[in-house]
Amino acid sequence: MAKLISVIVPCYNEQESLPYFYEEICKVAKEMKDNKFEFLFINDGSKDKTLEILRALAKEDKRVRYISFSRNFGKEAGMYAGLKEAKGDFVCIMDADLQDPPSLLPQMYHIITTEDYDSVATRRVSRQGEPPIRSFFARLFYRLINKISKADIVDGARDFRLMTRQMVDAIVGMEEYNRFSKGIFGWVGFNTKWLPFENVERIAGETKWSFWKLFKYSLEGIVAFSTFPLALSFIFGILFCILAIIFIIVRTLIWGDATSGWPSLVCIMFLISGVQLCCLGIMGQYLSKTYLETKKRPIYIVKETEKDKI
Ligand code: UDP
Ligand code: MG
């Protein structure tokens, strides 16, 4: 029986790339003519003509579905909405800018159906065309998070992956508000095959990720998948107690009380209060995430889907 493949495409201001993307994905669908397809576009509160393009596509092509959010909720929310609404036996997530080459899909499908894998994921082996400073911090982040977290997060991993219905259901079951998909994909387990590919630059439009946005996203990843930073404040505390004992008590015992020395005193005061503030900040990060989780706010709000326009 023909299996249904859902292709989820999060779109935020993608009016330039969408026509190219649609053309490309149609070519792939034609190539895989034994399968049925569903293209599920998520309009993440775009301010350009993305929604108009999607409406037009949905009118012409019955395979096209779309979900339009009431505002920008971020790519994570877009992917979650897509996974939740997808009906396919197999589900694939892809960027709209062709940085995740749709031409890899037949190969991915072949692997998932013939070999014993639940998911075929991709990772780029080069970061060509990316600012070097961004690559440097990205590498640092992956090294750090793999040291302090149990979730297996692969350097260069894209969100571009094909999954079985079983794995998708597991992911949809994780309803946390602070989502970090790269961690969630690893956390749910299942067998994943990694396909390496060379980085491709985006076809049109520009990236939506500034350095600051990426920095905040990486913090999110750390806080969501590791509690090591919480232990850090404890370690700092112990360290400073030991330092105080050695420096202040032992020193005084051996060399007697030195009257001179207020600069060092002020120095120590600043240092310790700095460390205290830092630890408080770490607590604050976790507290704020817990606060947001307990509110149980929806991850996204739908304003319009293709069904509203028929
Ligand atoms: N995207 C989204 N919501 C956002 C930001 C991005 O849905 O708030 C989508 C975007 O339209 C694209 C994908 O996420 O399809 C990846 O974004 P982008 O290409 O800007 O990221 P980069 O490839 O530079 O990491
Ligand atoms: Mg991109």
Side-chain angles (χ1 to χ4, degrees):
M1 213 181 67
K3 296 269 190 226
L4 176 67
I5 302 179
S6 301
V7 179
I8 298 171
V9 193
C11 308
Y12 177 52
N13 295 342
E14 295 288 3
Q15 61 177 17
E16 284 102 1
S17 341
L18 269 180
Y20 295 105
F21 177 82
Y22 179 69
E23 193 186 317
E24 203 60 33
I25 196 74
C26 282
K27 261 190 230 159
V28 173
K30 216 176 199 174
E31 201 181 312
M32 301 171 72
K33 49 185 170 321
D34 292 338
N35 294 99
K36 284 190 285 182
F37 275 87
E38 160 186 85
F39 308 134
L40 181 50
F41 293 90
I42 318 294
N43 175 34
D44 186 14
S46 302
K47 292 183 182 67
D48 62 358
K49 298 215 161 45
T50 302
L51 183 57
E52 274 97 323
I53 296 175
L54 293 180
R55 279 184 191 138
L57 286 178
K59 222 177 195 173
E60 278 166 27
D61 187 343
K62 284 286 150 282
R63 295 172 299 179
V64 173
R65 293 173 60 199
Y66 67 88
I67 295 172
S68 185
F69 288 173
S70 58
R71 64 168 168 88
N72 180 256
F73 278 89
K75 188 186 177 190
E76 286 291 339
M79 291 194 287
Y80 181 72
L83 290 173
K84 204 166 169 184
E85 297 301 323
K87 299 198 177 98
D89 304 299
F90 295 94
V91 179
C92 180
I93 303 176
M94 252 182 225
D95 282 3
D97 57 4
L98 293 180
Q99 277 191 302
D100 299 333
S103 51
L104 282 178
L105 191 58
Q107 190 190 350
M108 290 160 85
Y109 183 74
H110 182 73
I111 294 172
I112 211 167
T113 46
T114 54
E115 292 174 41
D116 190 21
Y117 288 108
D118 306 285
S119 153
V120 182
T122 57
R123 53 183 278 264
R124 44 183 185 175
V125 282
S126 65
R127 288 181 169 270
Q128 218 176 359
E130 194 181 69
I133 183 101
R134 196 166 142 174
S135 305
F136 171 76
F137 279 105
R139 292 233 162 78
L140 199 70
F141 166 72
Y142 284 110
R143 235 185 308 167
L144 180 72
I145 190 137
N146 277 315
K147 279 231 166 75
I148 62 175
S149 156
K150 281 204 196 79
D152 182 23
I153 298 168
V154 177
D155 185 6
R158 306 274 311 166
D159 294 323
F160 179 28
R161 59 165 73 214
L162 182 69
M163 290 170 278
T164 57
R165 170 60 28 204
Q166 194 188 18
M167 182 164 171
V168 172
D169 287 341
I171 293 168
V172 171
M174 292 176 76
E175 289 174 327
E176 56 205 76
Y177 180 79
N178 297 286
R179 300 189 74 77
F180 183 68
S181 284
K182 289 188 171 69
I184 292 176
F185 292 145
W187 193 91
V188 294
F190 297 101
N191 292 338
T192 299
K193 170 148 186 152
W194 289 96
L195 278 187
F197 76 98
E198 291 284 326
N199 191 32
V200 191
E201 287 190 46
R202 99 183 336 270
I203 181 113
E206 52 191 51
T207 176
K208 276 85 199 173
W209 293 90
S210 62
F211 189 81
W212 177 237
K213 244 178 141 178
L214 272 176
F215 179 70
K216 281 205 308 205
Y217 186 58
S218 64
L219 275 190
E220 201 122 291
I222 291 175
V223 173
F225 279 92
S226 166
T227 46
F228 177 74
L230 279 177
L232 213 63
S233 38
F234 181 70
I235 296 170
F236 270 138
I238 297 280
L239 210 72
F240 274 88
C241 286
I242 295 171
L243 267 185
I245 292 169
I246 295 175
F247 269 123
I248 297 154
I249 303 181
V250 177
R251 214 182 77 158
T252 320
L253 282 180
I254 298 176
W255 287 291
D257 183 21
T259 37
S260 64
W262 84 265
S264 58
L265 198 70
V266 173
C267 239
I268 290 170
M269 266 168 58
F270 268 117
L271 192 73
I272 293 183
S273 50
V275 170
Q276 275 177 345
L277 278 179
C278 177
C279 295
L280 265 181
I282 293 173
M283 306 276 187
Q285 280 290 317
Y286 283 89
L287 191 70
S288 68
K289 300 291 167 198
T290 320
Y291 174 61
L292 285 175
E293 288 302 342
T294 53
K295 283 189 177 199
K296 294 233 177 296
R297 282 186 181 158
I299 297 168
Y300 60 91
I301 295 170
V302 178
K303 186 172 169 213
E304 180 188 320
T305 70
E306 81 284 350
K307 293 191 191 84
D308 300 326
K309 288 284 152 185
I310 296 172

